[in-house]
């Protein structure tokens, strides 16, 4: 049998024999590795996911607040708008010569924890995600009537809704809403294909529909007919305001011109942001926190490895006998050195691999929660390059650290010779 | 290299001191013939274990030469000494000879992983290393399947020592060295164990050096030497009446 084979086989059996301490060591290193990979994965996943959520939009217009805030509530459904855009201002922007299309966004209601968004056909025509992909219907069709609703994939899947279902929209956001708009039940006419963006968790209705439940129109005799095309009501149910709008331009060259127009708009305080720029600002804001988190998780890995070192060192005193026995059979002091090294490598490699498995399972399990609370998709993809680097680095660091106990074992076994000491 | 006339062990003017310590071994001459069974007695601290380490090439003498089976062990490099020990010498210690994390069989087979020659001899005897280990254990009265399935730490001291003998004998090393292997046993078990060890070594044709501070065992051996006679090093702190000393 080759020397390295016997080395690793002895190391593995010896570790199994001390499976409690070895197991706890593996666990602590594995948890630290999972933390490190998890932090990095969440960071990169958040970035790709956020970047993939909106594409092809030139500007986002909303009430004047912070650009990040506007981006978060209009596109990612995180947080709430502080103010609205007046309907007239929206019309004025829409009719600007630079503007190719707009998507109005009207937020503030919810259905069983999912946000309800009022919009128009432009949304289905112009909204792009994941580098230019358009929305597609998995089932049914676009909303037409004032009480039609189009569901995101997750809404339909988690509430078990199919086309034709009647749903009640509630005022306010959250599971426990203040007031149900029971007077006008909405009817599901379409379900969108999965996008991996917050669209999946949104209930889409017409702007007229939103207005209908807020203006009291829903209690009028006309509403009882229920199936009234939203277009026919465009004037009757004209909203006073919308939350925000997404704007596509005729040409990118006009971007700064329109942005200036909006920012200097005098009738009400508005703001236009470039989604990419706002995202960049968000990353800069989060950058320091991310770096701090990464440093902390690297330190936790270091602590885990030092714990392993301690375990190996303390095991030495009770294993001097074992070393002497091995020496008597012709094992060189170098084999004793190698044995300790092999144990460290085994412990670290098993721990790091376990950490990788744990973190990917955890991300898979946490996916719905993350999407619901933070508006992005965690892809529980296969382990990537970073995971490999971490496994290699942890194993490498462990074998470097293990030189300490290995050297000690080497010295001890040379000094002890065959004298079997305890 | 070693003809039948070559002594199994020859020490000439051997001196040894542990690093920074006084001389603990000083042996002008000691010769053991091949196939001979030598009993070495002496009080605690008289240098018995040190002598065995010199023979096994764990320690190198500060002066003089140690030849084992025609090879000048004291002149070999560290790696060569380790290899030589793996090939030629079977060891039995006082107690705790076995690795607690290996099975009975794996413990017995272990020396074959360090020596090709012994592995080849063991395979020549039985079909596999495992079979040879079982055969040896059976000869030593540890044939029962139930016994073999047990963890080595669950065996009695006497049983553990017999497993250690099986391990020392696998692959028929020409020299078997035992350092107080009976000191944890009672008087009757001791005699039975020594008898068994010598029988098995005779079958394997191995030379035996058996160290003990219990002179009553000397009768079973062809020849007996006392450390107090052959070791000229000053023995400080050696307790003359060794029988009062319980083993540490
Ligand atoms: N590793 C060591 N380092 C320094 N001195 C040692 C070492 N091992 C033994 N000695 C010393 O060398 C001398 C001989 O010890 P040795 O172990 O050879 O005696 P022994 O005859 O085997 O004793 P015992 O019957 O107790 O096993 C003693 O004085 C001992 O203190
Ligand atoms: Mg001794």
């Amino acid at each position: 049998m080759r020397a390295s084979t016997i080395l690793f086989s002895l190391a593995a059996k010896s570790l199994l024999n001390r499976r409690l301490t070895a197991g706890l060591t593996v666990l602590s290193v594995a948890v630290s590795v999972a933390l490190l990979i998890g932090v990095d994965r969440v960071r990169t996943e958040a970035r790709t996911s956020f970047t993939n959520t909106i594409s092809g939009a030139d500007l986002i217009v909303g009430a004047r607040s912070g650009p990040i805030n506007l981006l978060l509530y209009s596109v990612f459904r995180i947080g709430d708008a502080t103010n609205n855009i007046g309907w007239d201002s929206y019309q004025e922007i829409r009719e600007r010569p630079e503007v190719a299309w707009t998507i109005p966004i009207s937020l503030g209601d919810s259905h069983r924890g999912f946000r309800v968004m009022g919009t128009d056909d432009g949304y289905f025509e112009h909204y792009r995600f994941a580098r230019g992909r358009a929305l597609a219907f998995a089932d049914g069709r676009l909303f037409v009537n004032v009480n039609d609703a189009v569901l995101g994939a997750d809404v339909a899947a988690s509430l078990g809704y199919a086309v034709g279902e009647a749903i009640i929209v509630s005022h306010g956001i959250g599971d426990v809403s203040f007031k149900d708009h029971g007077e006008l039940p909405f009817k599901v006419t379409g379900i969108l294909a999965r996008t991996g963006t917050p669209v999946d968790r949104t209930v889409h209705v017409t702007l007229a529909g939103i207005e209908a439940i807020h203006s009291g129109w829903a209690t009028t005799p006309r509403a009882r007919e229920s199936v009234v095309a939203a277009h026919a009501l465009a004037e009757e149910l004209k909203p006073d305001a919308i939350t925000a709008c997404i704007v596509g331009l005729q040409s990118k060259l006009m971007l700064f011109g329109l942005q200036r127009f909006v920012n200097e708009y005098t009738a009400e305080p508005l703001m236009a942001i470039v989604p990419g720029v706002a995202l960049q600002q968000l990353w800069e804001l989060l950058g320091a926190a991310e770096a701090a988190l990464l440093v902390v998780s690297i330190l936790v890995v270091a602590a885990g490895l030092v714990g392993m070192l301690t375990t190996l060192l303390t095991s030495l005193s009770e294993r001097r006998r074992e070393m002497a026995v091995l020496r008597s059979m012709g094992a060189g002091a170098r084999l004793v050195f190698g044995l300790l090294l092999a144990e460290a490598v085994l412990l670290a490699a098993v721990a790091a691999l376990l950490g990788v498995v744990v973190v990917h399972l955890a991300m898979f399990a946490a996916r719905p929660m993350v999407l619901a609370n933070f508006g992005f998709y965690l892809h529980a993809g296969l382990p990537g390059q970073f995971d490999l680097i971490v496994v290699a680095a942890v194993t490498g660091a462990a074998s470097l650290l293990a030189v300490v106990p290995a050297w000690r074992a080497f010295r001890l076994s040379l000094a002890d010779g065959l004298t079997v000491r305890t | 290299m070693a003809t039948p006339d070559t002594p199994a062990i020859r020490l000439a003017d051997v001196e040894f001191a542990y690093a920074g310590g006084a001389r603990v071994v000083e042996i002008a001459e000691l010769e053991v013939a091949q196939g001979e069974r030598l009993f070495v007695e002496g009080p605690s601290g008289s240098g018995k274990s040190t002598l065995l380490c010199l023979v096994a090439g764990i320690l190198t003498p500060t002066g003089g030469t140690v030849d084992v089976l025609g090879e000048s062990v004291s002149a070999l490099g560290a790696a060569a000494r380790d290899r030589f020990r793996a090939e030629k010498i079977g060891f039995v210690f006082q107690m705790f000879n076995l690795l607690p994390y290996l099975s009975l069989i794996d413990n017995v087979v272990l020396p074959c992983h360090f020596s090709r020659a012994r592995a080849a001899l063991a395979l020549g005897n039985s079909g596999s290393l495992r079979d040879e280990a079982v055969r040896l254990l059976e000869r030593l009265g540890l044939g029962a399947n139930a016994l073999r399935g047990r963890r080595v730490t669950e065996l009695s001291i006497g049983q553990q020592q017999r497993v250690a003998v099986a391990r020392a004998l696998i692959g028929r090393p020409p020299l078997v060295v035992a350092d107080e292997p009976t000191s944890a046993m009672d008087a009757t078990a001791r005699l039975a164990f020594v008898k068994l060890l010598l029988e098995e070594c005779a079958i394997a044709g191995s030379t035996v050096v058996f160290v003990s501070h219990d002179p009553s065992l000397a009768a079973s051996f062809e020849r007996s030497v006392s450390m107090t006679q052959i070791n000229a090093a000053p023995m400080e702190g050696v307790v003359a009446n060794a029988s009062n000393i319980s083993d540490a």
Side-chain angles (χ1 to χ4, degrees):
Chain A
M1 202 187 282
R2 290 218 324 282
S4 59
T5 326
I6 181 78
L7 201 66
F8 276 97
S9 129
L10 283 178
K13 284 173 178 161
S14 158
L15 285 175
L16 278 178
N17 190 53
R18 291 172 286 136
R19 55 178 82 76
L20 185 65
T21 44
L24 286 175
T25 309
V26 162
L27 197 66
S28 74
V29 176
V31 166
S32 71
V33 166
L35 181 69
L36 175 60
I37 294 178
V39 163
D40 181 75
R41 273 305 267 251
V42 167
R43 189 176 70 112
T44 47
E45 285 295 317
R47 288 193 177 200
T48 10
S49 184
F50 273 48
T51 313
N52 276 343
T53 294
I54 187 159
S55 138
D58 294 309
L59 287 173
I60 296 171
V61 179
R64 195 169 296 160
S65 59
I68 294 174
N69 188 31
L70 172 57
L71 180 79
L72 289 180
Y73 73 69
S74 62
V75 178
F76 299 105
R77 320 264 190 277
I78 299 174
D80 294 302
T82 46
N83 225 325
N84 290 330
I85 314 177
W87 183 252
D88 298 335
S89 313
Y90 170 57
Q91 291 306 321
E92 202 176 331
I93 292 165
R94 220 181 138 163
E95 275 144 30
R96 295 282 304 175
E98 303 96 317
V99 173
W101 50 265
T102 59
I103 299 170
I105 295 171
S106 182
L107 297 163
D109 291 309
S110 66
H111 172 70
R112 296 177 66 181
F114 294 103
R115 298 210 181 191
V116 172
M117 177 177 126
T119 184
D120 63 16
D121 301 358
Y123 180 71
F124 300 95
E125 198 176 323
H126 299 296
Y127 187 83
R128 295 287 182 274
F129 65 97
R131 296 195 187 78
R133 280 174 58 199
L135 295 176
F137 279 83
D139 196 11
R141 55 167 176 80
L142 202 64
F143 46 51
V144 175
N145 294 323
V146 69
N147 63 334
D148 284 354
V150 171
L151 306 184
D154 281 345
V155 182
S158 60
L159 299 178
Y161 289 165
V163 170
E165 194 96 31
I167 62 173
I168 302 288
V169 168
S170 315
H171 188 69
I173 287 154
D175 271 327
V176 188
S177 316
F178 312 108
K179 181 170 165 280
D180 279 350
H181 296 298
E183 32 344 311
L184 185 70
F186 285 80
K187 199 176 115 232
V188 178
T189 58
I191 292 166
L192 293 172
R194 186 171 296 278
T195 62
T197 72
V199 170
D200 294 351
R201 304 184 58 83
T202 305
V203 176
H204 308 87
V205 300
T206 59
L207 285 176
I210 294 278
E211 186 60 20
I213 54 178
H214 289 114
S215 66
W217 179 88
T219 54
T220 64
R222 234 184 124 194
R224 256 159 243 137
E225 296 166 30
S226 241
V227 271
V228 184
H231 288 298
L233 296 167
E235 267 313 301
E236 193 175 336
L237 288 176
K238 188 176 68 171
D240 292 338
I242 56 171
T243 311
C245 72
I246 300 173
V247 177
L249 297 173
Q250 302 284 0
S251 152
K252 301 267 178 222
L253 298 175
M254 302 164 174
L255 191 110
F256 295 109
L258 186 68
Q259 192 176 23
R260 187 168 331 110
F261 169 79
V262 173
N263 289 344
E264 290 169 3
Y265 193 73
T266 43
E268 60 179 319
L270 295 183
M271 175 175 64
I273 57 163
V274 181
V277 174
L279 265 181
Q280 202 52 49
Q281 287 177 335
L282 181 61
W283 301 148
E284 274 163 27
L285 187 72
L286 295 179
E290 282 175 2
L293 262 181
L294 265 186
V295 168
V296 168
S297 28
I298 288 170
L299 288 178
V300 173
V301 172
L305 288 177
V306 169
M308 183 190 81
L309 185 69
T310 316
T311 320
L312 284 179
L313 271 175
T314 42
S315 79
L316 281 189
S317 54
E318 65 199 45
R319 297 175 65 200
R320 287 169 84 167
R321 194 179 285 284
E322 173 190 333
M323 304 296 172
V325 169
L326 284 171
R327 292 276 281 140
S328 79
M329 275 181 279
R334 268 183 293 178
L335 183 125
V336 170
F337 184 88
L339 195 60
L340 267 288
L341 223 52
E343 283 186 11
V345 166
L346 279 178
L347 280 177
V350 167
L353 290 174
L354 184 68
V356 169
V357 170
V358 163
V359 77
H360 285 275
L361 287 181
M363 286 203 309
F364 185 75
R367 183 151 58 161
M369 190 276 287
V370 170
L371 186 61
N373 294 305
F374 305 105
F376 69 90
Y377 236 74
L378 270 179
H379 283 275
L382 289 174
Q385 199 183 2
F386 185 76
D387 307 45
L388 277 181
I389 292 173
V390 169
V391 171
V394 167
T395 313
S399 55
L400 276 183
L401 282 176
V403 166
V404 176
W407 178 248
R408 205 173 139 67
F410 179 85
R411 301 290 313 166
L412 281 177
S413 76
L414 277 184
D416 288 355
L418 297 186
T419 333
V420 178
R421 289 175 209 273
T422 24
Chain B
M1 178 178 232
T3 67
D5 297 337
T6 322
I9 300 171
R10 196 224 307 266
L11 272 68
D13 302 318
V14 167
E15 292 177 9
F16 182 80
Y18 284 100
R23 196 176 293 164
V24 291
V25 168
E26 196 176 330
I27 297 174
E29 204 199 344
L30 176 68
E31 231 181 79
V32 184
Q34 282 187 55
E36 192 177 358
R37 298 140 200 214
L38 178 73
F39 182 78
V40 180
E41 57 128 354
S44 187
S46 59
K48 302 184 297 293
S49 297
T50 307
L51 171 64
L52 293 186
C53 281
L54 289 166
V55 169
I58 292 274
L59 300 173
T60 37
T62 36
T65 54
V66 178
D67 293 352
V68 176
L69 300 153
E71 183 87 56
S72 180
V73 178
S74 50
L76 293 174
R81 276 184 278 128
D82 288 334
R83 222 173 307 123
F84 184 80
R85 182 165 65 257
E87 303 279 337
K88 308 287 186 191
I89 302 177
F91 249 98
V92 185
F93 290 119
Q94 179 181 335
M95 48 162 49
F96 303 116
N97 273 285
L98 307 177
L99 300 188
Y101 50 83
L102 294 184
S103 70
L104 249 174
I105 301 280
D106 284 346
N107 259 293
V108 176
V109 165
L110 198 53
C112 297
H113 294 313
F114 294 104
S115 160
R116 274 177 213 283
R118 284 176 71 177
L121 274 171
L123 284 174
N125 244 9
S126 305
S128 69
L129 292 179
R130 205 195 138 76
D131 289 349
E132 176 67 358
V134 171
R135 189 188 70 81
L136 282 165
L137 286 172
E138 265 163 6
R139 288 200 53 85
L140 289 157
L142 296 166
N145 272 323
L147 215 53
R148 267 186 267 133
R150 252 190 257 171
R151 296 170 61 85
V152 294
T153 44
E154 288 163 0
L155 299 176
S156 75
I157 302 272
Q159 287 167 334
Q160 287 186 27
Q161 291 304 84
R162 279 184 280 158
V163 176
V165 171
R167 186 180 64 196
L169 287 173
I170 196 165
R172 291 198 213 168
L175 177 60
V176 170
V177 171
D179 192 357
E180 313 200 39
T182 55
S183 54
M185 299 177 192
D186 62 51
T188 37
R190 259 177 222 194
L191 278 173
F193 177 85
V194 169
K195 190 164 165 282
L196 194 60
L197 172 70
L198 290 178
E199 270 171 25
E200 291 305 314
C201 289
I203 291 168
S206 308
T207 310
V208 182
V209 177
F210 187 107
V211 158
S212 176
H213 56 231
D214 177 5
S216 70
L217 295 173
S220 308
F221 292 81
E222 290 171 350
R223 184 155 73 104
S224 158
V225 295
S226 167
M227 281 307 269
T228 42
Q229 281 159 20
I230 61 166
N231 188 2
M235 290 180 200
E236 285 158 28
V238 169
V239 186
N241 190 354
S243 57
N244 287 343
I245 299 168
S246 63
D247 287 294

